[in-house]
Amino acid sequence: MKTDKIMIGDLARCVNFEKERKYEPETFYSECQDGHLRISTSTLNYKTLKENVLFIENEQGQLVHHFRKYSKVPSAEGEIYAENLKRFDIDSLVVIGGDGSYRGALALSKKGINCIGIPGTIDNDINGTDETIGFHTALSNIIDAVNKLRDTSSSHHRCFVIEVMGNNADSLALYSAISCGSELVITNKTGYDEDFVISEMIKNETVYHKRHAIIIASEKIFDVDKLAKRINQETGFSSRAIVLGHIQRGGSPVPEDRILASRMA
């Protein structure tokens, strides 16, 4: 593999240029960057890999841009992308991302492009690796948000039903629930029984005499607003649903992610 001809980006498969278009080296680099792709090579006056990533250890992961439009690459389009890469003498890619990025990398590898996968996803759901880059930073964001929500839940006798990301994995929900001492955690693996949740909230109030309750749930399992309304109606808690959303994905990387990324560099 020619290490001086590596393109880096969250999704290498977005090289979606018309086959007949001609690019000068500088123009090609600029248009790739606008298309959410970074190119690094020591030939054709492209910026080098070292210059691209210098002093970014405290920056968020999206600094190396991504483009998820082409998460599923048809065979015909994959052929065009591979030809465009080869036309600029780029034979290798470092693909940083999750399963969607890896599907694109697989499609390109079948067309003769060498691909190396670096697991970068907050979901922590990549087979063959214990932890992925970004997971601990997202977890830290969740813990920070839940800690602040607990302050107001205690003063207002409130139950918060908090939905976190994770796609079909449960790592963010489980780790954050343990770290925050939530009363309940709901994931694909725990299952969801609404009546059981209501009974547990009643028990927390009448038996344990708690003035607040935190329920953390993985996304895509149930309607958190519906559950919050039922808790509000059938228990003594004033309940609210909170979807943390994309706030989980931002921020400066925590030490665990910086160390993991450095090990993979």
Side-chain angles (χ1 to χ4, degrees):
M1 182 179 296
K2 302 175 183 179
T3 56
D4 62 335
K5 297 177 182 177
I6 295 180
M7 177 155 36
I8 62 174
D10 181 60
L11 216 56
R13 55 194 176 277
C14 68
V15 187
N16 188 30
F17 306 115
E18 296 176 10
K19 187 175 180 180
E20 59 275 4
R21 291 183 68 179
K22 302 299 182 182
Y23 289 90
E24 294 299 324
E26 292 80 4
T27 304
F28 180 69
Y29 177 81
S30 176
E31 295 203 22
C32 281
Q33 198 155 327
D34 289 341
H36 299 158
L37 201 65
R38 297 281 178 132
I39 290 184
S40 304
T41 175
S42 62
T43 63
L44 298 177
N45 296 319
Y46 292 168
K47 289 188 176 181
T48 64
L49 178 62
K50 181 178 179 181
E51 291 171 344
N52 271 337
V53 299
L54 195 62
F55 307 125
I56 67 167
E57 63 273 1
N58 65 327
E59 300 288 347
Q60 72 280 5
Q62 302 303 323
L63 186 70
V64 178
H65 297 284
H66 78 290
F67 194 56
R68 302 187 67 172
K69 178 180 179 182
Y70 298 97
S71 59
K72 296 181 180 179
V73 181
S75 178
E77 291 187 17
E79 187 70 41
I80 293 174
Y81 304 156
E83 288 179 4
N84 283 328
L85 291 169
K86 292 175 182 177
R87 184 154 56 95
F88 288 93
D89 201 23
I90 298 172
D91 64 357
S92 305
L93 300 173
V94 176
V95 181
I96 307 171
D99 56 357
S101 298
Y102 288 171
R103 284 194 294 270
L106 178 61
L108 287 174
S109 67
K110 291 179 178 178
K111 304 299 180 181
I113 302 298
N114 299 310
C115 293
I116 296 175
I118 300 294
T121 169
I122 68 171
D123 299 333
N124 198 34
D125 60 351
I126 301 300
N127 186 39
T129 183
D130 292 328
E131 293 177 342
T132 56
I133 301 169
F135 168 68
H136 281 285
T137 300
L139 176 61
S140 178
N141 290 338
I142 295 171
I143 294 171
D144 180 62
V146 173
N147 286 342
K148 293 173 181 176
L149 289 170
R150 187 182 292 279
D151 292 340
T152 186
S153 69
S154 298
S155 61
H156 290 78
H157 197 66
R158 185 159 288 169
C159 170
F160 278 113
V161 183
I162 304 170
E163 180 182 285
V164 301
M165 288 182 168
N167 202 10
N168 294 316
D170 59 3
S171 292
L172 281 177
L174 285 175
Y175 279 63
S176 60
I178 294 171
S179 300
C180 298
S182 69
E183 278 63 41
L184 280 177
V185 58
I186 301 170
T187 71
N188 285 328
K189 293 184 176 66
T190 66
Y192 175 56
D193 184 336
E194 197 168 282
D195 291 332
F196 173 77
V197 174
I198 297 299
S199 67
E200 284 297 302
M201 290 302 100
I202 294 174
K203 183 188 296 183
N204 273 277
E205 184 183 25
T206 60
V207 177
Y208 303 136
H209 306 292
K210 290 192 174 184
R211 293 189 51 79
H212 69 268
I214 298 291
I215 300 174
I216 293 181
S218 292
E219 62 184 348
K220 303 178 182 179
I221 297 179
F222 63 93
D223 187 335
V224 291
D225 288 298
K226 179 182 176 182
L227 176 60
K229 289 179 181 178
R230 187 174 173 190
I231 292 174
N232 210 37
Q233 294 169 353
E234 300 182 25
T235 76
F237 287 112
S238 172
S239 186
R240 298 288 187 276
I242 300 291
V243 178
L244 290 184
H246 285 77
I247 193 174
Q248 299 163 80
R249 297 176 62 89
S252 180
V254 297
E256 292 91 340
D257 281 332
R258 298 187 189 199
I259 293 170
L260 180 59
S262 296
R263 286 172 175 167
M264 294 183 178

